[in-house]
């Protein structure tokens, strides 16, 4: 039963053999390159895995922080003008105090 099959395969094989004979030397030079590349990939994989784990953790943290930031932003936005006004008031009060200080310095000995 195998002979008829082989008789059809042999002509095909006879055309493949010359092709294979030219491919084999090329493959033999490519194999060491492929082997070193596989080695590099093998050593890089744990690093990549670790980096992916770190990125996953950071993404998780960001995901939990985002809703908090989203709710805090409007509050900050409304508080900013108030803070700005208060800073302006403090600045003018400091300016007034700086002009009053020399007067207070001269009056203190008189009062005491």
């Amino acid at each position: 039963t195998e002979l008829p099959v082989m008789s059809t395969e042999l002509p095909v094989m006879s055309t493949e053999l010359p092709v294979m004979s030219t491919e084999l030397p090329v493959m033999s030079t490519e194999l060491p390159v492929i082997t070193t590349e596989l080695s590099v990939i093998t050593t890089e994989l744990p690093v990549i895995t670790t980096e992916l784990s770190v990125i996953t953790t950071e993404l998780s943290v960001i995901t939990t922080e985002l809703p908090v930031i989203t709710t805090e932003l409007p509050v900050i936005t409304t508080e900013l003008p108030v803070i700005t006004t208060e800073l302006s008031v403090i600045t003018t009060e400091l300016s007034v105090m700086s002009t009053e200080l020399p007067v207070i310095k001269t009056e203190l000995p008189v009062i005491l």
Side-chain angles (χ1 to χ4, degrees):
T1 60
E2 288 183 4
L3 270 175
V5 172
M6 285 180 76
S7 70
T8 60
E9 287 180 344
L10 271 173
V12 173
M13 286 176 76
S14 70
T15 62
E16 289 178 342
L17 267 173
V19 173
M20 286 177 77
S21 69
T22 60
E23 287 179 343
L24 271 172
V26 172
M27 288 174 79
S28 70
T29 61
E30 289 177 340
L31 259 174
V33 172
I34 291 170
T35 306
T36 55
E37 288 177 341
L38 271 172
S39 171
V40 168
I41 289 169
T42 306
T43 57
E44 289 178 342
L45 263 174
V47 173
I48 291 170
T49 306
T50 311
E51 289 175 341
L52 272 172
S53 171
V54 168
I55 289 170
T56 306
T57 314
E58 290 175 341
L59 273 172
S60 170
V61 169
I62 289 169
T63 306
T64 57
E65 289 178 342
L66 262 175
V68 173
I69 291 170
T70 306
T71 56
E72 288 178 344
L73 263 175
V75 172
I76 290 170
T77 307
T78 58
E79 289 179 343
L80 261 175
V82 172
I83 291 170
T84 306
T85 312
E86 289 175 343
L87 272 171
S88 173
V89 167
I90 289 170
T91 305
T92 49
E93 287 177 344
L94 276 171
S95 172
V96 168
M97 285 173 79
S98 73
T99 60
E100 290 177 341
L101 259 175
V103 173
I104 291 171
K105 272 183 161 180
T106 58
E107 290 180 346
L108 250 179
V110 172
I111 294 171
L112 292 174

